[in-house]
Amino acid sequence: MADTILKVENLVSTYGPITALKGINLEVKEGEIVSLLGSNGAGKSTLMKSILGMVTIGEGSSIQYNHDGQMVELIGKKSHQIIPLGIAIVPEGRGVFINKSVEENLEVGTFFRKRPAARDKELLDTVYQTFPRLKERRKQLAGTLSGGEQQMLALGRAMMADPRLMMLDEPSMGLAPLMVAEVFNVIKNVREMGITVLLVEQNAKQALKIADRGYVLTTGEVTQTGTGKELLADESLVAAYLGAKK
Amino acid sequence: MKKTSSKISGIAKILVIAAVLIIVPILSPNNYIQQIINLIGIYIILGTGINILTGYTGQLSLGQAAFFGIGAYTTALLNTRLGQQFFVCLIASILVTSFFGVVLAIPALKVKGPYLALLTQGFGEIVRIVMINWTPVTNGTAGILSIESPVIFGFAFDTLPKYYFLVVFFAILGLLYERSLINSRTGRAFIAIREDTDAAELTGINVTTYKIRAFVLSAVYCAVAGTLYAMMIQYVSPDTFISNTSSVILWTAIVGGFGTILGPIIGGIIMQVLPEILRFCGDWRLVVYGVILLIVILQCPGGLYPYLERFLRFLKSKVPANKSKSAAS
């Protein structure tokens, strides 16, 4: 049995008077792809922001992260303290620096390391191998890339951080179908590199296909959980997200 | 071969700039013009300070005059009341102004865009009103008179042409420091915050401390400018540190080119020289001044420096062509 890398217990997150998460329990094991499904406003992005210490969190909540074999409590830490522990995020809407070149964008991914690591060059090569198109355009401004390429760049930047856990927030949003397929392929590659993946998606079918396990969020609560296959087979879930079969 | 020639041309450039800087006070016909030239230097320092905060880090400030004023008043008070000399005044001004840099940065972390502009403008007003009303310390609207000119290592900077060299020294120091800062890790973090604060935070950049750093650094530039100003004019009053001054500081960086190292030099020259040249317009002077500035930002949205750079590159591309032609003939 693989070790737990992330364990969220009874997580309550609030934005002022609004409670966005009402006691979430979730576990991610080393080497897994875990998909987080739910409609708009279900609290998927809030969960990611909570893990990165960017949301107000209620009492009694716990977010444990396995850092070198020791469970570390993430609540109370800020994002710039959490990211160096080995958690990288591909934010919703990509968040690439449009006025910087592709290569500069990738370098930002290593920023939190005070000194450049010898591995940085190696990581850059890996990113360029995974995304040959980024190598071709490495001197180009990120703003001139297509939406799909920007998503690749955001993924590449997260890879540069050399993470153990990568969180992706709606990586397929606004992409053409071919690009969506490519993004999901890359996510599988990421896992093969030994990186655990926590994937937030609205594209439920695709997300469940590559996922080992999935969680379904509805208005701040986990309403369903199971392996990817189980959830895919669940008629009611498929109906809710993909429309009922005729 | 190529490297040595570029090194030589680099040295030649420095020598030419040094020669020009040394000739300026010799050529300046009177104290009136010399004072404008010295003010250009002081505004280059102020413009560089706001360039770090607004140009590189993206935090709009409409309250730089407050830092400038705090620096100037700290120097004025230490000099007139306690008889302290230049270096003590300078260091004290830097420390006091840095403290207020942190004080402004803390609420500024929570707001952005127009709210940040209002916050910084409000800060500027508060400082100005304190200057006016805290009479026992600041002497109110009358200001503080008879500040001594600095004597450094036995050399008295007691005339405007002599003072010029002091201003030039600090302006160059400020520009060189800015250049190394922007090329450093800190500079990269500043630019990342300007480009996309959320993305910067999500890549592990500590946005809070870098923003505070930017506020403090820009305050330090204002402190240096404030000390230089107080000891040059030898008089400070709240009239100097009004919101119009904040605007002029902001415009110095905008007209020159935000986020360019040399932009504030161009901005400093234009913002100080233009209103003097326009004196022939009489009552219409400030109207014409405003219209010219508007035209500049509409026509050159990135400021004048990028255009100047393009023009120089264009000239350069012409020069070697001429050389080879003359060699052929």
Side-chain angles (χ1 to χ4, degrees):
Chain A
M1 200 64 206
D3 287 339
T4 299
I5 189 163
L6 184 76
K7 191 167 190 175
V8 175
E9 283 175 309
N10 189 31
L11 178 64
V12 178
S13 300
T14 54
Y15 293 109
I18 299 158
T19 307
L21 297 178
K22 305 165 184 165
I24 300 277
N25 291 296
L26 176 143
E27 194 173 357
V28 183
K29 294 204 159 62
E30 195 115 42
E32 274 189 322
I33 296 182
V34 172
S35 289
L36 210 57
L37 309 173
S39 56
N40 280 336
K44 302 173 309 241
S45 297
T46 307
L47 180 56
M48 292 213 164
K49 283 187 188 156
S50 305
I51 294 168
L52 287 175
M54 298 168 79
V55 182
T56 317
I57 288 170
E59 272 185 40
S61 307
S62 154
I63 302 172
Q64 303 266 322
Y65 171 74
N66 184 340
H67 180 58
D68 293 336
Q70 257 186 331
M71 293 312 271
V72 182
E73 179 61 57
L74 296 186
I75 293 175
K77 286 193 166 64
K78 295 264 170 63
S79 59
H80 62 88
Q81 297 165 315
I82 293 169
I83 288 161
L85 297 176
I87 301 180
I89 183 163
V90 179
E92 188 177 354
R94 296 143 206 158
V96 298
F97 299 102
I98 54 171
N99 291 321
K100 289 190 177 209
S101 74
V102 167
E103 196 146 303
E104 283 167 336
N105 263 280
L106 292 173
E107 279 162 8
V108 174
T110 67
F111 186 88
F112 67 87
R113 286 197 278 277
K114 295 254 152 56
R115 272 171 247 288
R119 225 173 109 63
D120 286 359
K121 183 81 192 55
E122 212 177 291
L123 284 164
L124 191 64
D125 288 340
T126 316
V127 171
Y128 282 152
Q129 258 169 34
T130 319
F131 307 111
R133 222 163 339 169
L134 292 185
K135 189 174 187 182
E136 277 166 34
R137 307 192 170 187
R138 63 184 186 278
K139 297 283 172 224
Q140 219 170 298
L141 290 184
T144 64
L145 300 180
S146 74
E149 288 161 349
Q150 288 188 15
Q151 189 64 62
M152 300 299 166
L153 182 55
L155 266 155
R157 187 177 65 198
M159 284 162 69
M160 291 299 290
D162 201 9
R164 285 177 55 230
L165 173 65
M166 192 189 286
M167 305 198 291
L168 299 105
D169 198 351
E170 308 262 4
S172 76
M173 193 168 68
L175 297 184
L178 262 178
M179 264 301 169
V180 173
E182 203 173 328
V183 165
F184 280 104
N185 268 331
V186 170
I187 294 169
K188 278 192 268 181
N189 282 346
V190 165
R191 190 250 296 270
E192 271 155 36
M193 288 169 200
I195 301 170
T196 310
V197 175
L198 179 59
L199 172 65
V200 161
E201 260 298 345
Q202 290 218 32
N203 193 333
K205 210 169 183 176
Q206 290 270 26
L208 287 174
K209 265 187 196 159
I210 63 163
D212 298 299
R213 289 184 306 112
Y215 289 85
V216 180
L217 250 63
T218 316
T219 56
E221 284 169 290
V222 175
T223 46
Q224 251 176 313
T225 171
T227 65
K229 271 186 192 147
E230 282 166 13
L231 291 175
L232 258 183
D234 188 323
E235 292 283 329
S236 66
L237 180 73
V238 174
Y241 290 102
L242 304 171
K245 269 185 199 162
K246 278 179 187 159
Chain B
M1 181 72 186
K2 208 175 177 189
K3 226 178 192 176
T4 51
S5 75
S6 75
K7 216 180 212 174
I8 289 169
S9 80
I11 292 169
K13 252 187 226 163
I14 290 170
L15 286 176
V16 169
I17 293 169
V20 170
L21 288 175
I22 290 169
I23 289 172
V24 164
I26 300 169
L27 289 183
S28 84
N30 54 41
N31 270 345
Y32 165 69
I33 290 188
Q34 187 60 50
Q35 177 155 328
I36 293 169
I37 293 169
N38 290 2
L39 276 175
I40 291 173
I42 289 173
Y43 271 85
I44 288 172
I45 298 171
L46 290 165
T48 306
I50 198 173
N51 198 23
I52 292 173
L53 179 63
T54 312
Y56 284 103
T57 320
Q59 307 301 304
L60 180 60
S61 170
L62 295 178
Q64 292 300 97
F67 294 131
F68 184 30
I70 291 167
Y73 266 85
T74 306
T75 295
L77 288 170
L78 280 176
N79 183 262
T80 55
R81 303 254 170 119
L82 302 174
Q84 293 301 328
Q85 288 305 302
F86 181 76
F87 279 116
V88 175
C89 292
L90 180 72
I91 290 164
S93 293
I94 288 174
L95 291 177
V96 172
T97 317
S98 303
F99 169 75
F100 282 100
V102 176
V103 166
L104 179 61
I106 289 167
L109 289 169
K110 301 199 187 297
V111 291
K112 51 185 163 188
Y115 302 99
L116 180 61
L118 282 175
L119 177 82
T120 51
Q121 193 173 28
F123 173 73
E125 282 304 295
I126 291 169
V127 169
R128 187 180 67 87
I129 289 166
V130 169
M131 283 173 187
I132 294 172
N133 291 313
W134 197 15
T135 320
V137 174
T138 63
N139 204 20
T141 45
I144 299 169
L145 282 157
S146 57
I147 302 161
E148 292 164 28
S149 42
V151 179
I152 297 167
F153 302 126
F155 185 86
F157 290 89
D158 50 1
T159 66
L160 286 171
K162 284 185 197 166
Y163 204 89
Y164 162 85
F165 289 100
L166 195 62
V167 174
V168 165
F169 172 76
F170 280 101
I172 291 176
L173 193 68
L175 287 164
L176 288 177
Y177 179 72
E178 184 197 30
R179 193 179 67 171
S180 74
L181 176 82
I182 294 311
N183 292 322
S184 74
R185 197 179 136 77
T186 305
R188 289 199 298 278
F190 283 171
I191 294 169
I193 290 169
R194 176 191 72 192
E195 295 288 317
D196 190 332
T197 308
D198 295 334
E201 193 169 8
L202 291 174
T203 48
I205 293 172
N206 188 343
V207 173
T208 308
T209 59
Y210 280 110
K211 274 189 184 172
I212 293 175
R213 221 182 275 188
F215 269 99
V216 170
L217 277 170
S218 87
V220 167
Y221 276 82
C222 291
V224 174
T227 299
L228 288 173
Y229 179 84
M231 290 197 153
M232 179 173 85
I233 307 289
Q234 304 183 328
Y235 165 66
V236 293
S237 84
D239 293 345
T240 310
F241 308 106
I242 52 178
S243 80
N244 181 53
T245 304
S246 292
S247 306
V248 172
I249 295 170
L250 182 65
W251 277 86
T252 298
I254 291 178
V255 168
F258 258 151
T260 63
I261 307 273
L262 299 177
I265 299 179
I266 301 170
I269 294 169
I270 289 179
M271 294 304 291
Q272 296 306 311
V273 172
L274 200 55
E276 302 301 331
I277 290 177
L278 292 173
R279 280 198 190 277
F280 72 89
C281 301
D283 289 345
W284 288 89
R285 181 171 74 109
L286 292 177
V287 176
V288 176
Y289 178 59
V291 169
I292 290 176
L293 291 180
L294 269 181
I295 292 170
V296 168
I297 54 162
L298 288 174
Q299 289 302 311
C300 314
L304 287 170
Y305 177 71
Y307 291 85
L308 185 75
E309 205 181 22
R310 224 173 290 164
F311 178 68
L312 287 177
R313 219 179 294 144
F314 171 75
L315 281 186
K316 234 181 212 170
S317 69
K318 291 279 166 187
V319 170
N322 288 343
K323 255 185 200 165
S324 59
K325 241 184 233 166
S326 61
S329 66

